[in-house]
Amino acid sequence: MGILLRILLPAALLCAATAGASASDATAAVDADVACVPRVVDGWLRSPPMPMPMMAGFARIENRCAADTIVIGARSDAFASVELHETQVVDGVSRMREVAELPVAAGGEVVLRPGGLHLMLMRPVSPLATGDVARVEFTLADGRSVGTDFEVRAADAR
């Protein structure tokens, strides 16, 4: 009985001391996390160097939230299809592959950039020229979405 008392008494005292604050703090933390949505910043689309039915998209996805998040897809009304892709060099050859999801750690970011993770936006609904803007929405694993406008830049943009 003495060992049980030594284990349970501190836990009971801790619970009693924090009971009033814990419920409201926990509710506030849950509400804040639900309200917290990652941001997409610095979005831009690269014009292809020659007429092609696709463009590459780049941006930074910032997750300033307390919880990790996962991007599971993207869409745009300006394109028939948008996919998450990654470029990798295999045996000296650059290859692209579709990526099913992009985990974004709490307090972290994922950068979509030339030569790495990026968007492939296929079959534009209408031609897009340098300076035009297309909205891209990213779908999160929890069902929410976050988007921003992506400006079309010249083929040689970095």
Side-chain angles (χ1 to χ4, degrees):
M1 195 65 141
I3 293 175
L4 187 57
L5 187 57
R6 279 186 283 179
I7 293 171
L8 294 178
L9 183 59
L13 290 173
L14 180 61
C15 287
T18 60
S22 293
S24 62
D25 289 348
T27 301
V30 169
D31 289 345
D33 197 45
V34 169
C36 187
V37 178
R39 296 180 338 144
V40 178
V41 296
D42 302 330
W44 62 283
L45 303 175
R46 178 186 285 159
S47 292
M50 62 188 81
M52 296 178 74
M54 64 186 68
M55 298 176 103
F58 311 101
R60 199 170 67 247
I61 304 167
E62 299 175 341
N63 183 11
R64 297 182 179 177
C65 304
D68 297 348
T69 193
I70 301 172
V71 176
I72 60 167
R75 60 169 299 284
S76 174
D77 290 341
F79 294 87
S81 175
V82 180
E83 296 177 356
L84 305 169
H85 276 222
E86 181 176 31
T87 301
Q88 293 181 331
V89 177
V90 179
D91 297 326
V93 178
S94 183
R95 301 181 189 271
M96 272 194 302
R97 67 175 180 92
E98 190 172 1
V99 176
E101 57 185 36
L102 298 176
V104 187
E109 68 180 24
V110 169
V111 180
L112 306 178
R113 65 175 147 243
L117 292 168
H118 60 279
L119 296 175
M120 284 306 304
L121 302 102
M122 292 160 276
R123 297 183 313 278
V125 173
S126 60
L128 293 168
T130 301
D132 288 346
V133 173
R135 180 115 183 134
V136 177
E137 296 284 331
F138 291 84
T139 305
L140 306 179
D142 65 9
R144 297 181 297 167
S145 66
V146 59
T148 194
D149 291 338
F150 280 58
E151 180 185 1
V152 177
R153 295 184 186 167
D156 60 354
R158 283 264 167 209

